[in-house]
Amino acid sequence: MNTPQVSTTVADPASVAAAIGSRFSVRAFLPTPVPRATIEKLLAIASRAPSGTNTQPWKVYVLQGPSRDSLVEKVCAAHDALAANPSLADTYREEYDYYPQKWVSPYIDRRRENGWSLYGLLGIVKGEKARMHEQHQRNFRFFDAPVGLMFTVDRIMGRGSLVDYGMFLQSLMVAARAEGLHTCPQAAWNGFARLILPHIGAGPDEMMVCGMSLGYADVSARVNSFHTPREPVASFTRWVE
């Protein structure tokens, strides 16, 4: 057992709570560059996330500059093509079901509240398909963040690796807050894996898990005033004695 880990005392618990509590999906970033050393530091911290039998299934691809910009062009073009021709849906299909095939309450209710609250904040009303498409495409521009991250996993791994991955991603996002950075985890990229995987140099045995935007939040952007509510502890907890 690693003695320093066992004996480490968290001297400022409030900062830990603040890092977790202040994490949210930022949808507008500044162009301010993020140093490579900072990104490497965040990934090193996140790598301490737990994984079943220490398999550490995460694979990370960092996009900046030309590689980021050219991927944005490719996926935005495909997104536009899909909107113009819905029959392309089978061409751009995610490899695993992130969402349920059939929505039921209370999940569909939360999903609708989330979507219409965001659109309402931006002044987008029901039926404005062009504006909805434009806002959705902001995902594929990394919301203007200078750093794009793509995460893959070997297809041979079991579903438990996705649980491990979730802990890795959360650790990365919380660590980013300690550096004054913000993030936006994005499953929206998954449907365009056939374009993304060869672009980033991922092997044929890798599967897209999600993407992520990383950078400094634009605090003046109206969209960043949108924060999703959370259910009270009592609504999802049962005390078994």
Side-chain angles (χ1 to χ4, degrees):
M1 185 173 289
N2 190 315
T3 302
Q5 287 178 284
V6 171
S7 60
T8 296
T9 299
V10 177
D12 187 6
S15 291
V16 177
I20 297 172
S22 64
R23 184 222 62 80
F24 74 106
S25 294
V26 165
R27 293 178 172 87
F29 290 85
L30 298 172
T32 309
V34 180
R36 176 169 177 162
T38 299
I39 301 171
E40 290 178 338
K41 177 182 178 181
L42 297 179
L43 292 172
I45 294 171
S47 73
R48 294 303 311 171
S51 59
T53 63
N54 200 33
T55 50
Q56 304 175 66
W58 35 82
K59 293 186 176 183
V60 185
Y61 296 85
V62 183
L63 295 102
Q64 296 174 285
S67 66
R68 173 208 174 279
D69 297 345
S70 59
L71 180 64
V72 166
E73 291 179 5
K74 290 178 185 177
V75 177
C76 284
H79 184 235
D80 287 339
L82 180 59
N85 183 7
S87 67
L88 292 174
D90 286 337
T91 302
Y92 300 113
R93 189 174 297 280
E94 58 191 13
E95 195 163 341
Y96 71 94
D97 293 332
Y98 187 91
Y99 295 110
Q101 294 184 2
K102 181 180 179 181
W103 286 95
V104 298
S105 291
Y107 312 110
I108 185 62
D109 308 311
R110 295 170 187 165
R111 177 181 172 89
R112 286 171 176 162
E113 179 188 22
N114 183 74
W116 289 117
S117 295
L118 175 60
Y119 284 157
L121 179 68
L122 298 174
I124 301 173
V125 300
K126 190 173 182 178
E128 290 188 307
K129 293 184 178 180
R131 292 191 66 195
M132 291 179 184
H133 175 79
E134 180 182 2
Q135 177 58 34
H136 186 63
Q137 192 169 100
R138 294 280 296 149
N139 278 281
F140 309 126
R141 300 183 185 280
F142 292 107
F143 298 107
D144 298 328
V147 181
L149 301 167
M150 292 295 163
F151 304 94
T152 73
V153 66
D154 284 335
R155 290 192 179 93
I156 197 172
M157 301 302 286
R159 283 185 289 181
S161 289
L162 293 178
V163 176
D164 300 337
Y165 230 119
M167 292 184 280
F168 172 80
L169 295 170
Q170 172 74 349
S171 296
L172 174 58
M173 291 186 286
V174 171
R177 294 299 303 117
E179 298 293 327
L181 293 160
H182 273 286
T183 54
C184 184
Q186 300 163 269
W189 291 96
N190 292 2
F192 298 98
R194 64 182 299 164
L195 299 176
I196 298 167
L197 294 177
H199 181 90
I200 61 178
D205 296 326
E206 293 176 57
M207 179 183 75
M208 275 285 299
V209 174
C210 69
M212 183 183 291
S213 301
L214 171 71
Y216 296 95
D218 182 352
V219 297
S220 68
R222 183 174 177 80
V223 70
N224 284 337
S225 67
F226 177 66
H227 299 284
T228 53
R230 291 294 186 269
E231 292 294 310
V233 172
S235 73
F236 60 80
T237 304
R238 297 293 179 268
W239 299 93
V240 183
E241 299 178 355

